[in-house]
Amino acid sequence: MAKRGPTYHCQSCGAVYHRWQGKCDACGTWSSLVEDAQAAPVPGGGRPSSGGRARGRVFALETLKGETQDAPRIVSGIGELDRVTGGGFVPGSVLLIGGDPGIGKSTLLMQACAALAMGGRRVVYVSGEESTGQVRLRAERMGLAEAPVDLAAETNVEDIVATLNQGERPALVVIDSIQTMWSGEVESAPGTVTQVRGSAQALIRYAKTSGVCLILVGHVTKDGQIAGPRVVEHMVDAVLSFEGEGAHSFRILRGQKNRFGATDEIGVFEMTGKGLSEVTNPSALFLAGRDQPAPGAAVFAGMEGTRPVLVEIQALVAPTALGTPRRAVVGWENSRLAMVLAVLETHGGLRLGQHDVYLNVAGGLRVNEPAADVAVAAALVSSLSGATLPQEAVYFGEIALSGAIRPVAVAAARLREAAKLGFEAALMPSGGADHGDGNGLNLRRFGHVTELVADIAARAPRRDVK
């Protein structure tokens, strides 16, 4: 058998090469390739049996049928955090939380640690970026200095594991952040792909063997992805993303992966001088401070996991002086906007090729579901025609390439949330289930985008033709 040659990996992105080169083709970083150390032989792995074959341990196989128990939960007491995690932390699980610098990751975790510690559980907070004095100052500012949280400023993984094995087993351990950790068994600088992977493996191994819930804080790149090797996201049980805009005071905790709960739940927080406070009614927050009725504004009744959320969609369609009109989108998908514009031109009879289009989801929320197609189309037609949409109405529905407006899931919850906030009408697809009185709302149904365009055009002010 031919001998395997050396392999090299990039310390910035983790790309693997079979020969050394000065520049990484994947991320464009210079002088970042290092040679991988040859794997040590597994003890007993190369010892053949009497028959000439390697020995192996026989293990028992089981069937899918059997008694199962729900995973026990450690409730933090912060309702929005417990919602995203699926009802609380699971002992022995590992969570990875990422977000932009200064977004509030450490603040949220400090509040969770203090809540569990005040409930009589042992909690350990290990900071690799701040000193213990800096962490204490933040806790004092938030009014949590009296919480019995065990605090340490350490970056060596072996020392951390040895310390955690002493005394009472903690219920929760927070590592802030995984990019600052280093292991003596890995020959690489802290923050590199190799160190992050090795440190995460050691900490995850400790959590699985001891039954301790472990939370890892991760840095993010300029693209919003968690920095370091992608394999860390596969090793952990849950990946949470902390999002928010600097111009807004609210923050959104979104689950991207969760082995013990749903992955489409969100938790909404508001940043205050005392830390993060829960927002139990995010719809009222996103709709607060709405402008006076004006063309180009439509309220979308959306769903974030099991929670209905109402948010305002704003559109501006203006004539362009450029050869190629501009398309600017904030909070929605560019490709989805291009599809809606094409449908409006082909089936709605609108001429948008000589207009710039600007679309914004008010409040900084990012909408991902296709049910926003009707609200976006209504805002675009309203801005182009100058018609003002009824301020007491909500919109939802998916637009097909044929121009048909298709029903969406969980319409009853959307109507219920709209009625609770004082809306009087809902413009929705004509198909789908019969919702009766629609929670007291006036239900107006559309089957095709031409009907929607005609309804809005009828509201447009008449223009004198000279």
Side-chain angles (χ1 to χ4, degrees):
M1 182 179 295
K3 182 180 179 180
R4 286 182 54 187
T7 58
Y8 303 86
H9 74 273
C10 176
Q11 298 183 83
S12 298
C13 66
V16 180
Y17 300 88
H18 294 289
R19 62 181 181 84
W20 187 90
Q21 56 190 47
K23 180 181 178 182
C24 175
D25 296 332
C27 63
T29 306
W30 287 90
S31 303
S32 62
L33 268 63
V34 296
E35 184 177 355
D36 290 330
Q38 295 294 330
V42 180
R47 184 181 304 171
S49 62
S50 58
R53 297 180 180 178
R55 294 179 180 177
R57 180 179 60 87
V58 179
F59 55 89
L61 300 176
E62 299 181 5
T63 62
L64 293 176
K65 186 178 180 180
E67 296 183 1
T68 58
Q69 297 180 354
D70 293 337
R73 299 281 181 172
I74 302 175
V75 181
S76 67
I78 303 177
E80 296 298 301
L81 177 60
D82 293 333
R83 170 194 289 270
V84 179
T85 56
F89 302 123
V90 177
S93 64
V94 182
L95 293 81
L96 177 63
I97 177 171
D100 293 333
I103 202 69
K105 303 184 296 297
S106 301
T107 300
L108 175 63
L109 294 179
M110 178 58 69
Q111 292 181 235
C113 290
L116 288 176
M118 296 297 289
R121 298 179 182 271
R122 187 192 177 200
V123 179
V124 179
Y125 188 98
V126 180
S127 176
E129 301 178 349
E130 299 176 294
S131 64
T132 55
Q134 291 175 314
V135 178
R136 288 196 187 102
L137 286 175
R138 184 170 67 247
E140 291 178 2
R141 186 180 70 250
M142 298 165 56
L144 305 175
E146 300 299 326
V149 177
D150 293 338
L151 179 64
E154 184 58 54
T155 57
N156 183 267
V157 173
E158 286 76 18
D159 295 344
I160 294 174
V161 173
T163 304
L164 295 176
N165 284 326
Q166 299 295 321
E168 179 187 358
R169 186 185 69 179
L172 177 67
V173 175
V174 175
I175 304 295
D176 187 6
S177 64
I178 188 59
Q179 275 78 14
T180 61
M181 298 294 119
W182 64 277
S183 173
E185 300 180 357
V186 179
E187 296 181 359
S188 183
T192 59
V193 172
T194 306
Q195 274 290 3
V196 171
R197 181 172 56 241
S199 301
Q201 286 176 341
L203 292 170
I204 292 173
R205 190 183 310 115
Y206 162 76
K208 297 300 181 181
T209 55
S210 63
V212 173
C213 179
L214 177 66
I215 299 181
L216 305 176
V217 179
H219 296 167
V220 295
T221 63
K222 61 181 180 180
D223 298 328
Q225 302 294 327
I226 297 179
R230 201 64 184 268
V231 68
V232 176
E233 298 185 33
H234 293 281
M235 290 190 296
V236 300
D237 299 305
V239 179
L240 309 180
S241 175
F242 210 40
E243 307 170 356
E245 297 288 342
H248 302 281
S249 61
F250 71 89
R251 305 289 186 266
I252 297 176
L253 182 65
R254 189 185 303 272
Q256 298 179 348
K257 170 188 175 181
N258 193 350
R259 291 172 179 165
F260 304 104
T263 59
D264 52 1
E265 292 286 356
I266 66 167
V268 184
F269 301 87
E270 184 177 9
M271 181 64 75
T272 64
K274 294 293 184 179
L276 292 165
S277 62
E278 300 179 60
V279 178
T280 57
N281 190 357
S283 298
L285 175 66
F286 294 136
L287 295 178
R290 292 180 62 195
D291 299 332
Q292 295 297 323
V299 177
F300 165 57
M303 294 293 298
E304 293 289 345
T306 59
R307 164 183 286 173
V309 176
L310 270 60
V311 64
E312 186 179 52
I313 305 292
Q314 301 172 347
L316 176 62
V317 180
T320 182
L322 304 175
T324 302
R326 186 177 182 184
R327 305 289 188 252
V329 186
V330 177
W332 210 46
E333 296 181 7
N334 285 277
S335 58
R336 199 77 190 175
L337 173 63
M339 189 203 74
V340 172
L341 292 175
V343 172
L344 290 176
E345 288 199 8
T346 304
H347 303 285
L350 303 183
R351 294 295 177 262
L352 299 169
Q354 300 300 321
H355 292 78
D356 292 332
V357 175
Y358 303 88
L359 186 72
N360 176 49
V361 179
L365 181 69
R366 179 162 186 83
V367 178
N368 298 317
E369 60 172 335
D373 290 350
V374 169
V376 170
L380 292 171
V381 177
S382 170
S383 178
L384 180 64
S385 62
T388 301
L389 300 178
Q391 197 174 23
E392 70 282 355
V394 297
Y395 297 78
F396 61 89
E398 180 182 357
I399 296 179
L401 291 178
S402 62
I405 300 179
R406 296 179 175 178
V408 296
V410 206
R414 305 173 196 262
L415 298 175
R416 187 164 53 250
E417 181 73 7
K420 185 174 67 174
L421 293 179
F423 287 86
E424 301 175 0
L427 289 86
M428 55 186 294
S430 59
D434 183 12
H435 300 289
D437 62 349
N439 293 276
L441 297 177
N442 178 22
L443 304 183
R444 303 184 59 189
R445 298 177 179 269
F446 298 98
H448 200 271
V449 71
T450 54
E451 303 174 20
L452 178 67
V453 173
D455 179 80
I456 299 175
R459 304 173 181 271
R462 296 193 176 186
R463 301 174 181 175
D464 296 334
V465 180
K466 296 183 180 181

